Coordinates of all heavy atoms in Angstrom, one line a residue:
M216 N -24.5 51.5 92.5 CA -23.8 51.9 91.3 C -23.0 53.1 91.4 O -22.0 53.3 90.7 CB -24.9 52.0 90.2 CG -25.7 50.8 89.9 SD -24.7 49.3 89.6 CE -24.1 49.6 88.0
D217 N -23.4 54.1 92.2 CA -22.6 55.3 92.5 C -21.3 54.9 93.2 O -20.2 55.5 92.8 CB -23.4 56.3 93.3 CG -24.5 56.9 92.5 OD1 -24.5 56.8 91.3 OD2 -25.4 57.5 93.2
R218 N -21.3 54.0 94.1 CA -20.1 53.5 94.7 C -19.2 52.9 93.7 O -17.9 53.0 93.8 CB -20.4 52.6 95.9 CG -21.0 53.3 97.1 CD -20.9 52.4 98.3 NE -21.7 51.2 98.2 CZ -23.0 51.1 98.4 NH1 -23.7 52.2 98.9 NH2 -23.7 50.0 98.3
Y219 N -19.7 52.2 92.8 CA -18.9 51.5 91.7 C -18.5 52.6 90.7 O -17.6 52.2 89.8 CB -19.7 50.5 91.0 CG -20.0 49.2 91.8 CD1 -21.0 48.4 91.5 CD2 -19.3 49.0 93.0 CE1 -21.3 47.2 92.2 CE2 -19.6 47.9 93.8 CZ -20.6 47.0 93.4 OH -20.9 45.9 94.2
N220 N -19.0 53.8 90.7 CA -18.7 54.8 89.7 C -19.0 54.3 88.3 O -18.1 54.3 87.4 CB -17.3 55.3 89.9 CG -17.0 56.6 89.1 OD1 -18.0 57.3 88.7 ND2 -15.8 56.9 88.8
A221 N -20.2 53.7 88.2 CA -20.5 53.1 86.9 C -21.1 54.0 85.9 O -21.3 53.6 84.7 CB -21.6 52.0 87.1
G222 N -21.3 55.3 86.2 CA -21.8 56.3 85.3 C -23.3 56.0 84.9 O -23.7 56.3 83.7
I223 N -24.1 55.4 85.8 CA -25.5 55.1 85.5 C -26.4 55.9 86.4 O -26.1 56.0 87.6 CB -25.7 53.6 85.7 CG1 -25.0 52.8 84.6 CG2 -27.2 53.2 85.6 CD1 -25.0 51.3 84.7
A224 N -27.5 56.4 85.9 CA -28.5 57.0 86.7 C -29.8 56.2 86.6 O -30.4 56.0 85.5 CB -28.8 58.4 86.2
V225 N -30.3 55.6 87.7 CA -31.5 54.8 87.7 C -32.7 55.7 87.8 O -32.8 56.5 88.7 CB -31.4 53.8 88.9 CG1 -32.7 53.0 89.0 CG2 -30.2 52.9 88.9
T226 N -33.5 55.6 86.8 CA -34.7 56.5 86.7 C -35.9 55.9 87.3 O -36.7 56.6 87.9 CB -35.0 56.8 85.2 OG1 -35.2 55.5 84.5 CG2 -33.9 57.5 84.6
A227 N -36.1 54.5 87.3 CA -37.2 53.9 87.9 C -37.0 52.4 88.0 O -36.2 51.8 87.3 CB -38.5 54.2 87.1
V228 N -37.7 51.8 89.0 CA -37.8 50.4 89.2 C -39.3 50.0 89.2 O -40.0 50.6 90.0 CB -37.1 49.9 90.5 CG1 -37.3 48.4 90.7 CG2 -35.6 50.2 90.4
T229 N -39.7 49.1 88.4 CA -41.1 48.8 88.2 C -41.3 47.3 88.4 O -40.6 46.5 87.7 CB -41.7 49.2 86.9 OG1 -41.4 50.6 86.7 CG2 -43.1 48.9 86.8
I230 N -42.1 46.9 89.3 CA -42.4 45.4 89.5 C -43.5 45.0 88.4 O -44.6 45.6 88.4 CB -42.9 45.2 90.9 CG1 -41.8 45.5 91.9 CG2 -43.4 43.7 91.0 CD1 -42.3 45.3 93.4
Q231 N -43.1 44.1 87.6 CA -44.0 43.7 86.5 C -45.0 42.7 87.0 O -46.2 42.7 86.7 CB -43.2 43.2 85.3 CG -42.2 44.1 84.8 CD -42.8 45.4 84.2 OE1 -43.9 45.4 83.8 NE2 -42.0 46.4 84.1
D232 N -44.5 41.7 87.7 CA -45.4 40.6 88.1 C -44.8 39.9 89.4 O -43.6 39.8 89.5 CB -45.6 39.6 87.0 CG -46.7 38.6 87.3 OD1 -47.5 38.9 88.2 OD2 -46.6 37.5 86.7
V233 N -45.7 39.5 90.2 CA -45.3 38.7 91.4 C -46.2 37.5 91.5 O -47.4 37.6 91.4 CB -45.4 39.5 92.7 CG1 -45.1 38.7 93.9 CG2 -44.6 40.8 92.6
A234 N -45.6 36.3 91.5 CA -46.4 35.1 91.5 C -45.6 34.0 92.3 O -44.4 34.1 92.5 CB -46.6 34.6 90.1
P235 N -46.3 33.1 92.8 CA -45.6 32.0 93.6 C -45.0 31.0 92.5 O -45.3 31.0 91.4 CB -46.8 31.3 94.3 CG -48.0 31.6 93.5 CD -47.8 32.9 92.9
P236 N -44.0 30.2 93.0 CA -43.5 29.2 92.1 C -44.5 28.3 91.5 O -45.6 28.0 92.2 CB -42.5 28.5 92.9 CG -42.1 29.4 94.0 CD -43.4 30.2 94.3
R237 N -44.3 27.8 90.3 CA -45.3 26.9 89.7 C -45.7 25.7 90.5 O -46.8 25.2 90.5 CB -44.9 26.6 88.3 CG -44.8 27.7 87.3 CD -44.3 27.3 86.0 NE -44.3 28.4 85.1 CZ -43.9 28.3 83.8 NH1 -43.5 27.2 83.3 NH2 -43.8 29.4 83.0
D238 N -44.7 25.1 91.2 CA -44.9 23.9 91.9 C -45.9 24.0 93.0 O -46.5 23.1 93.4 CB -43.5 23.3 92.4 CG -42.6 23.0 91.2 OD1 -43.1 22.8 90.1 OD2 -41.4 23.0 91.4
V239 N -45.9 25.2 93.6 CA -46.7 25.4 94.8 C -47.8 26.5 94.5 O -48.4 27.0 95.5 CB -45.9 25.9 96.0 CG1 -44.9 24.8 96.4 CG2 -45.1 27.1 95.7
A240 N -48.1 26.7 93.3 CA -49.1 27.8 92.9 C -50.4 27.5 93.5 O -51.1 28.3 94.0 CB -49.1 28.0 91.4
D241 N -50.9 26.2 93.3 CA -52.2 25.8 93.7 C -52.4 26.0 95.2 O -53.4 26.6 95.8 CB -52.6 24.4 93.3 CG -52.6 24.3 91.8 OD1 -52.9 25.3 91.1 OD2 -52.4 23.2 91.3
A242 N -51.4 25.4 96.0 CA -51.5 25.6 97.4 C -51.4 27.0 97.9 O -52.1 27.4 98.8 CB -50.3 24.7 98.1
F243 N -50.6 27.8 97.2 CA -50.4 29.2 97.6 C -51.7 29.9 97.3 O -52.1 30.8 98.1 CB -49.3 29.8 96.7 CG -48.9 31.2 97.2 CD1 -48.0 31.3 98.2 CD2 -49.5 32.3 96.7 CE1 -47.6 32.6 98.7 CE2 -49.2 33.6 97.1 CZ -48.2 33.7 98.1
E244 N -52.4 29.6 96.2 CA -53.7 30.3 96.0 C -54.7 29.9 97.0 O -55.6 30.7 97.4 CB -54.2 29.9 94.6 CG -53.3 30.5 93.5 CD -53.8 30.1 92.1 OE1 -54.7 29.3 92.0 OE2 -53.2 30.6 91.1
E245 N -54.7 28.6 97.5 CA -55.6 28.2 98.5 C -55.3 29.0 99.8 O -56.3 29.5 100.5 CB -55.4 26.7 98.8 CG -56.0 25.8 97.7 CD -57.5 25.9 97.6 OE1 -58.1 26.3 98.6 OE2 -58.0 25.6 96.5
V246 N -54.1 29.2 100.1 CA -53.7 30.0 101.3 C -54.2 31.4 101.2 O -54.7 32.0 102.1 CB -52.2 29.9 101.6 CG1 -51.8 30.9 102.7 CG2 -51.8 28.5 101.9
Q247 N -54.0 32.0 99.9 CA -54.4 33.3 99.7 C -56.0 33.5 99.9 O -56.5 34.4 100.4 CB -54.0 33.8 98.3 CG -52.5 33.9 98.1 CD -51.9 34.9 99.1 OE1 -52.4 36.0 99.3 NE2 -50.8 34.5 99.8
R248 N -56.7 32.5 99.3 CA -58.1 32.5 99.5 C -58.5 32.4 101.0 O -59.5 33.1 101.4 CB -58.8 31.4 98.7 CG -58.9 31.7 97.2 CD -59.8 30.7 96.5 NE -59.2 29.4 96.4 CZ -58.5 29.0 95.4 NH1 -58.2 29.7 94.4 NH2 -58.0 27.7 95.4
A249 N -57.8 31.6 101.7 CA -58.1 31.5 103.2 C -57.8 32.8 103.9 O -58.6 33.3 104.7 CB -57.3 30.4 103.8
E250 N -56.7 33.4 103.5 CA -56.4 34.7 104.1 C -57.4 35.8 103.7 O -57.8 36.6 104.6 CB -55.0 35.2 103.5 CG -53.8 34.4 104.1 CD -53.6 34.6 105.5 OE1 -54.0 35.7 106.0 OE2 -52.9 33.8 106.2
Q251 N -57.9 35.7 102.5 CA -59.0 36.7 102.1 C -60.3 36.5 102.9 O -60.9 37.4 103.3 CB -59.2 36.6 100.6 CG -58.0 37.1 99.8 CD -58.2 36.9 98.3 OE1 -59.3 36.4 97.9 NE2 -57.3 37.3 97.5
D252 N -60.6 35.2 103.0 CA -61.8 34.9 103.8 C -61.6 35.3 105.3 O -62.6 35.9 105.9 CB -62.1 33.4 103.8 CG -62.5 32.9 102.4 OD1 -62.9 33.7 101.6 OD2 -62.4 31.7 102.1
K253 N -60.5 35.1 105.8 CA -60.2 35.6 107.2 C -60.3 37.1 107.3 O -60.9 37.6 108.2 CB -58.8 35.1 107.6 CG -58.3 35.7 108.9 CD -56.9 35.3 109.2 CE -56.4 35.9 110.5 NZ -55.0 35.6 110.8
Q254 N -59.7 37.7 106.3 CA -59.8 39.2 106.3 C -61.2 39.7 106.2 O -61.7 40.7 106.8 CB -58.9 39.7 105.2 CG -58.8 41.3 105.2 CD -58.0 41.7 106.4 OE1 -57.2 41.0 107.0 NE2 -58.3 43.0 106.8
R255 N -62.0 39.0 105.3 CA -63.4 39.4 105.1 C -64.2 39.2 106.4 O -65.0 40.1 106.8 CB -64.0 38.5 104.0 CG -65.5 38.8 103.7 CD -66.0 38.0 102.6 NE -65.8 36.6 102.8 CZ -66.5 35.8 103.5 NH1 -67.6 36.3 104.1 NH2 -66.2 34.5 103.6
L256 N -64.0 38.1 107.1 CA -64.7 37.8 108.4 C -64.3 38.8 109.4 O -65.1 39.3 110.2 CB -64.4 36.4 108.8 CG -65.0 35.3 107.9 CD1 -64.6 33.9 108.4 CD2 -66.5 35.4 107.8
V257 N -63.0 39.1 109.5 CA -62.6 40.1 110.5 C -63.2 41.5 110.2 O -63.7 42.2 111.1 CB -61.0 40.2 110.4 CG1 -60.6 41.4 111.3 CG2 -60.4 38.9 111.0

Side-chain angles (χ1 to χ4, degrees):
M216 299 308 288
D217 289 343
R218 287 195 297 273
Y219 292 163
N220 193 18
I223 291 176
V225 178
T226 58
V228 173
T229 304
I230 296 177
Q231 305 295 338
D232 188 23
V233 178
R237 294 181 178 178
D238 297 336
V239 297
D241 295 337
F243 191 87
E244 291 178 357
E245 289 292 338
V246 173
Q247 294 300 315
R248 283 194 288 271
E250 290 289 340
Q251 292 176 0
D252 292 340
K253 174 185 175 182
Q254 187 66 26
R255 179 177 54 80
L256 294 176
V257 169

